[in-house]
Amino acid sequence: MLVAKPCTSMGGVLVQLYLWKEIKLDISKLANEMKAKGYKVKTLIPGIMVVAEFEGYEVSVYPSGKIIIKELRDEKKAEEIARKIYEMAGVSVED
């Protein structure tokens, strides 16, 4: 289940994936997949976070699965972007 809510500290939307099992995203692998799909990876700190430009927004992705999409206010659009990112990370998102 995806939950999107306003992120007041970063000025955007925070999306978190909640599953019955704990997930740990491979941030380096995700960064490589993003680059391969044509997205600009701005910062990669292996094991900590990746920051990329994604569909006109700056996104920060953490190994826990938390995604912060800066300057976006539309929670439905945030969920749509997050689904694409999780797909690139090899994580199945079920409704």
Side-chain angles (χ1 to χ4, degrees), residues 16-30:
Q16 183 72 49
L17 178 62
Y18 293 95
L19 298 173
W20 290 108
K21 60 181 180 166
E22 185 176 330
I23 65 165
K24 183 159 173 95
L25 302 181
D26 183 333
I27 295 301
S28 297
K29 182 178 173 186
L30 175 59

Side-chain angles (χ1 to χ4, degrees), residues 45-60:
I45 305 170
I48 305 294
M49 70 185 261
V50 61
V51 178
E53 286 183 19
F54 200 93
E55 297 186 11
Y57 298 98
E58 183 176 285
V59 299
S60 300

Side-chain angles (χ1 to χ4, degrees), residues 2 4-7 10-11 13 26-27 29 34 41 43 47 50-51 54-56 58-60 62 74-75 86-87 91:
L2 282 178
K5 59 186 178 182
C7 178
M10 298 295 276
V13 177
D26 183 333
I27 295 301
K29 182 178 173 186
M34 287 177 151
V41 174
T43 304
V50 61
V51 178
F54 200 93
E55 297 186 11
E58 183 176 285
V59 299
S60 300
Y62 300 88
D74 183 344
E75 292 174 12
Y86 289 130
E87 183 179 305
V91 175

Side-chain angles (χ1 to χ4, degrees), residues 32-45:
N32 288 333
E33 186 66 23
M34 287 177 151
K35 286 179 188 175
K37 299 248 185 209
Y39 297 103
K40 181 180 178 185
V41 174
K42 297 171 90 175
T43 304
L44 170 62
I45 305 170

